Amino acid sequence: MNCDEARRLIGAEPYVTSRELAEHLQGCRACAEFQLEMVALEANIRRALEEPPVAARPHARRRAVVARSGWALAASILLAILATLAVWTLRPSNSLAREVVAHVIAEPQSWASKDAVSPRALEEILRKSGVILGATPYSVVYASSCWFRGHYVPHLVVRTSHSLVTVLILRNEKVDARQTFHEDGLAGAIVPAAQGSIAVLGEGSAQLDDVAEEMRVAVRGAAESP
Amino acid sequence: MRNSPPERTVSSVDLPPVERIAELRITRLFESMRPDLLRFALWLTRDRSIAEDVVQESLLRAWRSRDALKDPACSRAWLLTIVRREHARLYERKRLELVSLNDASEHEGSALLSQDDSEVQALRGAILRLPIEYREPLIMQVLGGFSVEEIACELSLSASAVLTRLFRARNKLRVLYGMTPAADASGSEESP
C-alpha cells in the first residue's frame, strides 16, 4: 500500500484500520499523523452533524413575511416565547424514559443473548462512546453501540443472580434525581451519574437499584481513566 | 392515472389487542425516530420545510410498508433509507427548486449554525456547502451509521467510488482547519 492509497482509506473511514493499513502506518510517520488529524477532524464532524436543527426556520414562512406594526411584531415575539416556554415546561418529564423503553423494545434480540460478551468486544463498544466500565459483579451478555438521542450510547444487558437487566449508559442525558417508570411490562429507573445518567430496565423491579448503583460506580468517562 | 387500491380500512380500535399493541409500538418507534430522521433530512435538503415534508412523506410510506419491517432492530436504518430515497425522488422531481448553495449557507445554514462555537459553526457551513454527491455519503456514514458497502448499495455505486467520495468530502473539510489537503490520486470515480 502506498501513501496515496493509505490516505484515501483514512479519509474515507478515519476510525477503520485494516491490517494492511496498520502495517503501512507502522512504517510511515506522515500517514500516521494524517490519521490522527483525520480522527480529530472526525470528532468535530460528528459534533457538527449531531446538533439537532432546532433553530432552522421554515423556508416558505421566511419569504411570506409582510410588514407588521411594531405592536403586532412584539406580540408575536411574546407569543412565540410563551409557546416555547409552554412546550418546554409541559414536555413530559418522562419522555426520556419513554424513549429508553421504545429503544429497548426495538431491540428484542438483546434479551435473547446468553453468552458473555468478550472483554475486547465490550471495550470496543464502550470506547465508541468514550466510556470505561470497571469491575461489576455481573456478566455482560449483550453489548451494542446504539444511536440514541443524537449520540452513540452503550446498550448492555447484564445477567444478575435472578434475571437479565438492560443498562443504557447515557452520558449526554442529565437527570436531576432518580426516576422510576413502568411501561410496556418493563420496570425501569434512570439515575444520575457522574456524567449524564444511567438507565436500567428489567421485567421486574428486583435488583434494578443494585444494578444501577453498581453501574454508576463502575462507569467512568475515558478522559477520567488513569 | 390509476388509483391505488384502498389501504387498510380497519381502524386500530377494531384490531385484536395483540395487533393493537403491535401497532402502538411501531407508532411509538417511528415517532421516537422522528428527530433523527428530521436531522438527517435537513442535512440532505438544507431546507427546514422541505426536510419536514420529506420526513412526513417517508413516515407515511414506512407506515404503509410496516409489514416489511421484519426486525425492529433494523428500523432506524430502514427509516433513514426511506428518507434518503424520498429526498432523491424529490430532488429528481424538483431539481431546480431546491435552494441554491448561497441561499443555504445564508438562511438555513445560519440557522443551523446558531448557538455554537465558531469552529463547529464553520464546519457546519462547510458541510452544507459540500456538493450533494459528497455530502450525502458523508451524512449517511456519520449520522446514519451506514457502512461503505451499504452506502454503495443504496447509491448504486461501487464501494471504491464511495470511498473516494468520502475521502474527498473530508479532504475538502480539512482545508477549513488550515490543514493541507491530501493528494487526490484516486482520479475519476469507478462506476458501479
Side-chain angles (χ1 to χ4, degrees):
Chain A
M1 180 179 287
N2 62 30
C3 290
D4 286 342
E5 181 59 16
R7 290 177 187 219
R8 178 170 166 266
L9 291 176
I10 294 166
E13 297 181 290
Y15 285 114
V16 177
T17 308
S18 64
R19 202 177 69 181
E20 204 181 355
L21 177 59
E23 283 169 6
H24 177 84
L25 293 177
Q26 278 184 341
C28 180
R29 191 171 166 182
C31 284
E33 280 177 8
F34 180 80
Q35 189 185 37
L36 286 177
E37 286 175 1
M38 292 308 287
V39 167
L41 174 64
E42 189 66 5
N44 282 337
I45 291 175
R46 282 180 193 275
R47 276 178 65 206
L49 289 176
E50 283 174 3
E51 199 62 32
V54 287
R57 295 160 299 176
H59 193 65
R61 195 176 303 162
R62 191 175 61 237
R63 295 197 173 159
V65 167
V66 293
R68 300 179 191 182
S69 73
W71 281 111
L73 188 60
S76 353
I77 292 170
L78 183 62
L79 272 175
I81 293 169
L82 287 174
T84 309
L85 278 174
V87 167
W88 180 254
T89 51
L90 296 176
R91 199 173 66 137
S93 60
N94 60 349
S95 63
L96 174 61
R98 282 190 188 148
E99 287 184 42
V100 165
V101 172
H103 177 84
V104 171
I105 287 173
E107 229 167 290
Q109 79 279 14
S110 64
W111 295 83
S113 302
K114 290 179 182 158
D115 299 329
V117 176
S118 75
R120 189 175 180 149
L122 179 60
E123 188 190 357
E124 186 67 28
I125 281 159
L126 295 169
R127 192 170 55 193
K128 197 167 180 184
S129 305
V131 170
I132 289 173
L133 185 65
T136 72
Y138 312 116
S139 159
V140 177
V141 294
Y142 177 83
S144 172
S145 183
C146 296
W147 186 260
F148 183 82
R149 286 193 164 195
H151 301 275
Y152 282 102
V153 305
H155 175 170
L156 314 176
V157 175
V158 300
R159 185 188 292 126
T160 69
S161 54
H162 298 325
S163 60
L164 295 175
V165 174
T166 295
V167 178
L168 264 63
I169 301 169
L170 308 170
R171 292 187 73 198
N172 296 285
E173 302 293 341
K174 286 185 183 167
V175 295
D176 295 329
R178 180 175 178 274
Q179 301 172 8
T180 55
F181 53 90
H182 287 81
E183 197 160 326
D184 282 333
L186 292 171
I190 301 176
V191 297
Q195 281 192 328
S197 56
I198 294 173
V200 290
L201 293 89
E203 288 183 326
S205 52
Q207 291 195 306
L208 284 185
D209 285 343
D210 293 344
V211 175
E213 180 56 19
E214 289 286 353
M215 287 293 168
R216 194 186 64 75
V217 172
V219 168
R220 60 182 195 272
E224 305 162 38
S225 60
Chain B
M1 188 167 63
R2 189 171 69 86
N3 286 331
S4 54
E7 288 160 14
R8 294 171 66 120
T9 53
V10 180
S11 80
S12 63
V13 290
D14 299 327
L15 292 172
V18 174
E19 288 184 31
R20 204 163 64 217
I21 289 171
E23 294 218 331
L24 273 175
R25 282 185 176 176
I26 205 156
T27 304
R28 278 188 199 168
L29 181 64
F30 284 7
E31 278 305 313
S32 72
M33 296 202 179
R34 184 185 277 269
D36 269 6
L37 303 181
L38 186 58
R39 180 173 43 239
F40 185 73
L42 186 55
W43 281 109
L44 285 178
T45 62
R46 303 180 301 189
D47 183 293
R48 176 83 179 193
S49 56
I50 295 175
E52 283 175 348
D53 287 350
V54 166
V55 170
Q56 190 64 29
E57 187 58 33
S58 300
L59 285 173
L60 278 172
R61 283 181 189 276
W63 179 253
R64 288 179 200 132
S65 325
R66 61 192 181 280
D67 292 341
L69 180 63
K70 303 294 180 201
D71 181 1
C74 302
S75 55
R76 186 168 180 277
W78 185 67
L79 287 169
L80 289 176
T81 302
I82 294 173
V83 168
R84 196 210 72 76
R85 289 180 187 172
E86 188 57 34
H87 171 250
R89 264 192 288 273
L90 188 77
Y91 192 74
E92 281 168 15
R93 280 201 305 267
K94 299 185 176 180
R95 187 178 297 267
L96 299 177
E97 291 179 32
L98 293 179
V99 288
S100 73
L101 286 176
N102 289 337
D103 276 353
S105 56
E106 284 173 19
H107 298 296
E108 304 306 335
S110 64
L112 281 163
L113 305 182
S114 61
Q115 299 174 344
D116 210 335
D117 61 72
S118 57
E119 199 173 271
V120 176
Q121 272 190 12
L123 192 52
R124 287 185 185 175
I127 294 170
L128 283 170
R129 287 182 202 95
L130 283 176
I132 186 71
E133 63 265 32
Y134 299 130
R135 196 171 72 249
E136 188 171 41
L138 184 69
I139 292 165
M140 289 178 77
Q141 186 190 46
V142 179
L143 264 189
F146 290 91
S147 68
V148 167
E149 290 71 25
E150 286 166 338
I151 297 170
C153 179
E154 187 57 29
L155 300 183
S156 302
L157 294 168
S158 65
S160 175
V162 172
L163 285 172
T164 299
R165 287 189 184 192
L166 289 168
F167 160 72
R168 286 179 181 166
R170 290 191 174 89
N171 214 17
K172 287 173 189 288
L173 299 179
R174 275 177 66 85
V175 179
L176 259 184
Y177 286 81
M179 301 173 186
T180 313
D184 187 353
S186 46
S188 61
E189 290 168 9
E190 291 176 28
S191 305

